[in-house]
Amino acid sequence: MNAKERYNKIIQVIENKASDPHVKDVEILKEIASDNFMNLRDVNTVMKFLADTLALTYIKERKMMAAYKHLISSEKMDISGAVAISGKDNHSAFDKAFKSVFNITPSEAFRKKDANLIVPALDWESISCETKNPVVSEEEVEQ
């Protein structure tokens, strides 16, 4: 499996598990590590290098995005379902995290149902060319 396939597979695992309220953030990270014969630190290193974010941070962001999608697609406001998907321990922690990510409250999100706030998942094409093919400058070579 080449780097592009492996990276996209990692992102796909995160996307598939993010909306499951029964799967914890660290469980997703452990599954990725196990599936790719890596330790948790290596998974974070790869994600930091390729996507400039730690794997666990990205997983938490995608779980919050899944909670947002759940809220705006529900006919009735299901805050408990969104809290469960997000992985937060309670409504208060969810409300605070939700507001910091989306700059609106969960109830405002439910009312507005603004799909423009949905951030697509990372993919290979979203990685900069410099990350895919790092280039060493002449100054670095001389040092």
Side-chain angles (χ1 to χ4, degrees):
M1 182 180 307
N2 66 32
K4 178 180 178 179
E5 291 167 340
R6 184 175 304 251
Y7 179 76
N8 285 334
K9 180 182 173 193
I10 289 170
I11 298 302
Q12 193 57 51
V13 167
I14 294 169
E15 290 302 307
N16 290 342
K17 305 277 182 175
S19 61
D20 187 339
H22 305 293
V23 179
K24 302 293 181 201
D25 306 343
V26 73
E27 292 171 9
I28 298 171
L29 185 59
K30 287 178 180 178
E31 179 180 332
I32 291 167
S34 175
D35 289 352
N36 290 282
F37 307 102
M38 301 167 81
N39 62 41
L40 302 180
R41 183 176 176 194
D42 291 342
V43 175
N44 270 319
T45 301
V46 168
M47 284 294 291
K48 184 69 176 167
F49 177 74
L50 293 174
D52 198 29
T53 187
L54 296 175
L56 199 54
T57 301
Y58 182 71
I59 291 167
K60 289 176 185 293
E61 289 171 358
R62 296 315 294 172
K63 286 188 79 65
M64 190 59 73
M65 192 59 59
Y68 180 83
K69 289 177 187 177
H70 176 80
L71 271 178
I72 69 169
S73 66
S74 301
E75 288 185 30
K76 290 184 178 179
M77 186 158 162
D78 179 18
I79 196 75
S80 295
V83 170
I85 290 169
S86 75
K88 300 298 178 194
D89 292 331
N90 55 55
H91 293 296
S92 178
F94 173 74
D95 287 347
K96 184 177 178 181
F98 192 93
K99 177 96 172 155
S100 74
V101 171
F102 299 106
N103 209 26
I104 57 174
T105 65
S107 56
E108 289 173 310
F110 176 75
R111 275 195 320 276
K112 292 180 180 179
K113 298 191 184 296
D114 186 359
N116 292 324
L117 292 179
I118 297 172
V119 176
L122 293 174
D123 62 11
W124 186 257
E125 285 68 34
S126 66
I127 301 171
S128 72
C129 291
E130 292 81 24
T131 304
K132 289 181 199 172
N133 302 305
V135 177
V136 178
S137 70
E138 288 181 35
E139 294 83 27
E140 292 172 313
V141 172
E142 292 172 2
Q143 292 178 356

